Amino acid sequence: MKTIIAACSQNLSGSRANIQTALRTLLAVPWPSQRDVRSALQLLAVLQWVLSFLLLGTVSLLLLVYLLFTSLWLVPVLYLAWIICDWDTPEKGGRRLPCLRRWTVWKHFRDYFPVKLVKTHDLSPSHNYIIGSHPHGILCVGAFCNFITGSTGFEELFPGIRSFLTTLAGNFRLPVFREYLMSGGLCPVTRRAIGYLLSQKGTGNAVAIVIGGAAESLSCRPGVTTLILKNRKGFVRMALRHGAFLVPSFSFGENDLFRQVVFEEGSWMRSVQRRFQKMMGFAPCLFYGRGLTSSQSRGFLPYARPITTVVGEPVAVPKVENPSRELVDRYHELYIRALLKLFEENKTKYGLSESDELHIL
């Protein structure tokens, strides 16, 4: 009996010693600093955004199709009925949710790069505006962060102005994804949707359009400042029809977020990209960024590079219901001049050299 008691005492002593050793080891491990926690939150904020834009629509569609063949078949049927009744909502201003635009996650998203919004001139709430957003980049990070989220203070910098951002109309045909886009203030880049915002919602509306579109994304790479704009005049015609002032904006650093395999003009791969773009509305870019675990690895997340979006001086536009081609060309030229002026006055402030030029194709 004494032998058994002694053995138990030794085991208990050993267990206490092991626990104490484990506790000391645990306490010796350095806890994450506030900087580490912030970095992790910023990375997660960017991850959810990228996954939402790349996968949310497709995954939602596949899930609803799967549910049709289960006991939950009524869920996709009711949602389909809802979409049919709600089909025109994206073309009529959508459904903005101010609470979503103020999510704390967007502040972490902003700080990851970081993204900054710079105002050069006031925008009067007594007018409507079309903001030209340049360049397109790969995922339009600057345009999204500044005109959709409230993280960079657009409403504070431009009091009385409500910002909207346009995107491909096809995105609003994807279930669940359409609700996500509308809640932030995104609208289809169609004449009907833009015309509604500029004519049916009073004044103080600013519709941001990424004018270069998918064609411009094919030429996106660090150090290149080429815009597809010379023959893009539809936004000027819309501005004239509704008397909306034209406002140039440029996001310095947008093209530095990803690395892209750029195929030369005339190559068969470039031809495939062009044809796909014409059929589907967007271009299949071959790009990469950083990985999830390390900034040195390759993945689909953007690199942490600063983006500064500068909003320039508005070009006053008269209201002309049926503008002539000459009038459209005139205001298109005025817009290009304002954009070039904005670029030249700010390029050396935000990462470019004095010799860098803005090429417009």
Side-chain angles (χ1 to χ4, degrees):
M1 180 62 72
K2 292 181 179 179
T3 303
I4 295 174
I5 293 173
C8 289
S9 298
Q10 289 176 0
N11 288 337
L12 289 172
S13 299
S15 298
R16 283 195 295 270
N18 291 335
I19 292 173
Q20 290 173 354
T21 302
L23 287 173
R24 283 195 295 267
T25 303
L26 181 62
L27 292 173
V29 175
W31 289 85
S33 64
Q34 291 185 351
R35 181 179 179 181
D36 294 333
V37 172
R38 284 197 300 270
S39 297
L41 291 174
Q42 292 166 9
L43 191 63
L44 289 174
V46 173
L47 176 64
Q48 67 82 26
W49 179 77
V50 171
L51 291 179
S52 295
F53 270 82
L54 295 181
L55 299 177
L56 181 59
T58 303
V59 171
S60 299
L61 178 61
L62 294 176
L63 178 60
L64 289 174
V65 171
Y66 168 75
L67 291 177
L68 279 173
F69 301 95
T70 69
S71 59
L72 298 176
W73 60 270
L74 189 58
V75 173
V77 170
L78 290 176
Y79 184 70
L80 178 61
W82 159 255
I83 288 182
I84 293 174
C85 296
D86 193 56
W87 190 256
D88 287 338
T89 299
E91 302 277 354
K92 296 181 178 180
R95 279 189 299 272
R96 289 162 60 101
L97 292 179
C99 60
L100 185 140
R101 293 167 66 96
R102 293 194 298 265
W103 271 0
T104 303
V105 69
W106 301 130
K107 294 182 180 180
H108 297 304
F109 178 87
R110 171 201 66 195
D111 294 339
Y112 171 84
F113 298 96
V115 182
K116 182 181 179 182
L117 180 64
V118 176
K119 179 180 82 169
T120 60
H121 292 78
D122 292 329
L123 299 183
S124 171
S126 61
H127 298 290
N128 284 326
Y129 303 89
I130 289 180
I131 300 178
S133 180
H134 311 274
H136 182 284
I138 296 294
L139 294 179
C140 302
V141 172
F144 176 86
C145 191
N146 288 298
F147 303 126
I148 292 302
T149 79
S151 61
T152 57
F154 182 92
E155 294 179 355
E156 289 75 23
L157 287 173
F158 302 100
I161 304 297
R162 296 176 297 275
S163 62
F164 299 85
L165 179 63
T166 57
T167 185
L168 292 174
N171 290 328
F172 294 89
R173 300 187 181 97
L174 295 172
V176 181
F177 191 45
R178 70 190 293 274
E179 323 298 340
Y180 177 74
L181 295 178
M182 284 192 291
S183 64
L186 282 131
C187 299
V189 62
T190 62
R191 291 181 181 178
R192 183 184 177 192
I194 298 172
Y196 183 91
L197 292 172
L198 297 177
S199 63
Q200 302 297 318
K201 295 181 73 66
T203 59
N205 300 296
V207 183
I209 304 175
V210 186
I211 298 169
E216 195 171 275
S217 67
L218 292 176
S219 301
C220 168
R221 59 183 184 271
V224 175
T225 49
T226 300
L227 304 182
I228 306 297
L229 179 58
K230 188 173 292 186
N231 295 317
R232 300 289 174 101
K233 301 178 181 180
F235 72 103
V236 178
R237 186 171 287 107
M238 287 294 297
L240 284 164
R241 285 177 177 172
H242 298 282
F245 288 13
L246 291 169
V247 183
S249 73
F250 195 92
S251 293
F252 294 91
E254 181 73 46
N255 286 349
D256 298 331
L257 304 183
F258 293 96
R259 302 291 182 269
Q260 181 180 191
V261 180
V262 178
F263 299 99
E264 297 297 328
E265 291 290 346
S267 64
W268 70 272
M269 275 300 299
R270 190 69 161 196
S271 177
V272 169
Q273 288 178 316
R274 295 290 189 191
R275 290 178 183 176
F276 190 94
Q277 173 202 331
K278 290 180 180 179
M279 290 188 298
M280 303 301 294
F282 65 94
C285 302
L286 298 180
F287 66 91
Y288 65 89
R290 61 156 289 176
L292 182 61
T293 58
S294 169
S295 60
Q296 305 302 320
S297 60
R298 291 188 179 184
F300 57 88
L301 295 179
Y303 291 107
R305 302 287 187 270
I307 303 172
T308 303
T309 301
V310 184
V311 179
E313 181 179 4
V315 177
V317 176
K319 186 175 181 179
V320 181
E321 188 171 345
N322 293 303
S324 64
R325 179 180 297 179
E326 292 74 17
L327 190 62
V328 171
D329 290 343
R330 175 187 171 190
Y331 279 94
H332 184 261
E333 181 62 28
L334 289 175
Y335 176 82
I336 290 179
R337 289 180 187 176
L339 177 61
L340 289 171
K341 178 183 177 183
L342 176 72
F343 179 82
E344 291 297 329
E345 290 179 348
N346 292 277
K347 63 182 182 181
T348 56
K349 299 178 185 177
Y350 305 114
L352 299 180
S353 66
E354 190 64 43
S355 61
D356 285 324
E357 296 181 354
L358 185 62
H359 303 282
I360 296 179
L361 301 179

